[in-house]
Amino acid sequence: QVQLVESGGGLVPAGGSLRLSCAASGRTFGSYVMGWFRQAPGKVREFVAAISWNSGNTYYGDSVKGRFTISRDKAKDTVFLQMNSLKPEDTAVYYCAADTNLRSAWQVRTSRYDYWGQGSQVTVSS
């Protein structure tokens, strides 16, 4: 079992920044991929970014490239999402997720991720 707990959400004006954290516990993360997704009201859950726990390689959704950065701290079993230049359309509940399966390609579908956090609200005012 893997437990994921997000924190760091809140209200920020457009153009501002926020950093989300996802503290993980339970099984070790050896070959896992950790991802961030978001879901706005009335919309499907959308892939934001992913990071390979071992290598630190990263992958981003098109809507956040150049603005968001995913990183991890192995010593603290924590994944971060640094969000800069925030826009009102970034408003959503942000979820941390873990893909515990060995795969050869980045996964952007929610069904590929085994464990999920409870979500953290991010609201960007215009």
Side-chain angles (χ1 to χ4, degrees):
Q1 284 282 17
V2 174
Q3 293 79 42
L4 304 173
V5 179
E6 301 99 334
S7 61
L11 173 64
V12 62
S17 298
L18 275 177
R19 188 175 82 156
L20 301 180
S21 300
C22 173
S25 61
R27 292 164 55 182
T28 57
F29 302 103
S31 58
Y32 291 6
V33 167
M34 301 298 295
W36 285 97
F37 288 75
R38 66 186 182 185
Q39 188 166 17
K43 295 189 175 182
V44 298
R45 196 166 294 189
E46 173 191 21
F47 172 79
V48 174
I51 186 167
S52 167
W53 190 259
N54 268 346
S55 69
N57 291 337
T58 58
Y59 183 71
Y60 296 92
D62 288 341
S63 60
V64 305
K65 278 180 185 176
R67 300 188 299 124
F68 291 11
T69 302
I70 188 171
S71 61
R72 90 284 193 234
D73 184 331
K74 282 187 169 182
K76 296 182 179 180
D77 286 340
T78 300
V79 178
F80 303 98
L81 185 68
Q82 177 66 43
M83 305 183 291
N84 298 330
S85 302
L86 283 161
K87 306 174 183 180
E89 51 264 43
D90 294 317
T91 295
V93 176
Y94 283 71
Y95 297 90
C96 176
D99 177 3
T100 64
N101 303 284
L102 287 175
R103 303 191 196 274
S104 58
W106 294 105
Q107 301 298 318
V108 301
R109 291 187 291 176
T110 57
S111 59
R112 298 292 188 172
Y113 288 77
D114 308 287
Y115 299 96
W116 293 84
Q118 83 286 355
S120 183
Q121 177 71 47
V122 171
T123 302
V124 184
S125 61
S126 57

